[in-house]
Amino acid sequence: MLTNASPQFWSGKKVLLTGHTGFKGAWMALWLHQMGAIVCGISLPPQTQPNLFTLAKVGDLIESHFCDIRHADAIASVIKSANPEIVLHLAAQALVRSSYKDPLATFATNVMGTANVLNALRDLPSVKSVVCVTTDKVYKNLEHSYPYRETDVLGGHDPYSASKAASEIVISSFRDSYLKEQGVAVASARAGNVIGGGDWSEDRLIPDAIRAWENNAPLEIRRPNAVRPWQHVLEPVNGYLVLAEKLYTDASLSGAYNFGPLTHEAATVGSVIKLARHIYGSGEVDWGDGSQGPHEAGLLSLEVSKSRAALDVGPRWGLHETIKRTINWYQLQATNQDAQILCQEDILAFIEAKNSNNESV
């Protein structure tokens, strides 16, 4: 049986959540509110229309501040006012292709933005644990089948990957130079490719598919043979929450953690889209040959044994269940069903699905 985030732990906890208007951040805010946490969110306004933050009325549930993490003084002011016990840092420029278009903004947000958040925690006695979310793309990708472990070399070809690898060094530096001495436990979380209802970002596989198929247009796939560690958004969100809980009482757990599916369940873009089209019920696809667009890694998988052993968290929804729930969410929301209720239903189903990779859920 796998561990879920504990409502008993989170009830009444003061939590700072950066990136709460984003896809993953909105899911996180909804789950924290459901457990009774007192949440203060810091983020840019929602970057897409539509967006989950607005549809699920997240701003009505938590204290919400629209603020750029690149602005050190403004961020420090909000953080000191919030006086959090736990910090969950999700805010980022999170798109590879956008990083090619604007590398300076990507580095400023992901590197200096992270430094600004962590610097604001210095000499803040309320803080006990910090989880900074980076990405599975922090590793120097050698395009081999070996799944990357937390001790492997960091790197990054594209500006996004490089900025996240650099942010890992920033996280480690602030932990060792300042926060450890304050008794603050700090961890970084490296998650695989995340899918789920409520994501409308550009250049992401499932959102692109939904947009195309809803408009009876063909979906253009650049690299159908690229392999990624796909997982439902609730898998890493639960992992981050459990990690923050454990750090709160055991600083020895500080460090880096991978969150993703089992290594053998990494799947190609092509197989994901074929399954998504089958579940959706229709949809045309134009298959590329891998030569379109800037460089992107062809093969990436993660070793997740550390998070399973240390935190008792691990994948519980396999690829079919993950895609089915994702497609169903979009189809139900398109009929004007309440987005907040749809998310709450998925959270409840996830909590009840404690067996690893239970496809019959």
Side-chain angles (χ1 to χ4, degrees):
M1 303 293 280
L2 299 170
T3 298
N4 291 321
S6 169
Q8 291 76 23
F9 172 85
W10 288 99
S11 180
K13 289 290 191 302
K14 297 177 71 174
V15 181
L16 177 79
L17 171 62
T18 73
H20 69 293
T21 64
F23 165 55
K24 198 185 292 182
W27 276 95
M28 175 76 82
L30 290 169
W31 198 342
L32 285 167
H33 173 77
Q34 183 174 302
M35 293 189 292
I38 302 167
V39 183
C40 175
I42 297 176
S43 184
L44 294 175
Q47 300 295 290
T48 66
Q49 291 295 336
N51 63 83
L52 184 58
F53 174 81
T54 301
L55 288 175
K57 301 180 177 63
V58 174
D60 295 341
L61 305 178
I62 69 171
E63 180 183 341
S64 178
H65 297 267
F66 292 159
C67 187
D68 193 327
I69 62 171
R70 293 175 292 183
H71 300 159
D73 290 343
I75 289 298
S77 176
V78 175
I79 290 176
K80 285 178 170 56
S81 176
N83 202 36
E85 299 168 78
I86 298 170
V87 176
L88 301 165
H89 174 44
L90 277 66
Q93 194 301 96
L95 300 174
V96 171
R97 287 166 69 85
S98 293
S99 78
Y100 278 111
K101 297 173 185 175
D102 196 345
L104 294 184
T106 299
F107 281 102
T109 300
N110 295 347
V111 182
M112 285 309 302
T114 297
N116 290 337
V117 170
L118 293 174
N119 193 57
L121 304 181
R122 294 171 58 190
D123 302 318
L124 194 63
S126 62
V127 180
K128 303 300 181 187
S129 67
V130 180
V131 174
C132 297
V133 174
T134 59
T135 176
D136 58 352
K137 297 174 181 63
V138 297
Y139 298 107
K140 184 177 181 180
N141 196 325
L142 302 176
E143 301 280 350
H144 53 43
S145 57
Y146 168 83
Y148 292 99
R149 292 170 170 80
E150 290 85 351
T151 54
D152 283 333
V153 175
L154 302 178
H157 182 285
D158 58 87
Y160 168 71
S161 301
S163 72
K164 283 296 196 173
S167 75
E168 286 275 357
I169 298 173
V170 169
I171 294 162
S172 178
S173 175
F174 270 88
R175 177 178 60 236
D176 296 340
S177 298
Y178 307 107
L179 299 176
K180 184 178 179 179
E181 295 178 1
Q182 292 177 213
V184 180
V186 181
S188 63
R190 305 164 180 176
N193 286 47
V194 173
I195 59 178
D199 187 5
W200 281 278
S201 300
E202 293 184 2
D203 295 322
R204 282 190 180 154
L205 187 62
I206 297 299
D208 284 350
I210 294 298
R211 274 188 291 267
W213 296 341
E214 283 183 345
N215 291 291
N216 295 314
L219 170 65
E220 296 184 1
I221 296 297
R222 299 186 301 273
R223 292 175 172 83
N225 296 320
V227 175
R228 294 289 185 271
W230 310 95
Q231 60 184 327
H232 192 276
V233 61
L234 290 175
E235 304 272 12
V237 166
N238 182 61
Y240 306 157
L241 292 171
V242 173
L243 176 56
E245 290 179 32
K246 302 280 189 182
L247 291 169
Y248 193 89
T249 56
D250 187 356
S252 71
L253 292 172
S254 296
Y257 292 83
N258 288 339
F259 296 95
L262 299 177
T263 301
H264 70 274
E265 291 208 335
T268 66
V269 168
S271 63
V272 169
I273 285 301
K274 289 175 183 176
L275 181 53
R277 180 171 58 181
H278 172 74
I279 295 169
Y280 189 83
S282 62
E284 296 298 320
V285 181
D286 286 344
W287 301 101
D289 60 7
S291 63
Q292 296 88 352
H295 173 272
E296 294 182 68
L299 176 62
L300 178 59
S301 63
L302 295 178
E303 173 58 64
V304 296
S305 59
K306 180 182 176 181
S307 57
R308 181 60 187 268
L311 309 175
D312 195 29
V313 300
R316 65 186 70 182
W317 282 345
L319 186 63
H320 185 276
E321 184 70 15
T322 292
I323 295 175
K324 182 179 76 172
R325 287 191 174 275
T326 299
I327 297 299
N328 288 347
W329 194 101
Y330 284 106
Q331 290 180 318
L332 291 170
Q333 193 279 322
T335 66
N336 295 318
Q337 293 202 32
D338 188 287
Q340 187 180 123
I341 293 175
L342 291 175
C343 291
Q344 291 170 342
E345 290 174 346
D346 273 353
I347 291 171
L348 178 60
F350 182 87
I351 290 170
E352 293 177 344
K354 290 188 177 182
N355 293 323
S356 178
N357 289 294
N358 184 353
E359 290 285 11
S360 63
V361 172

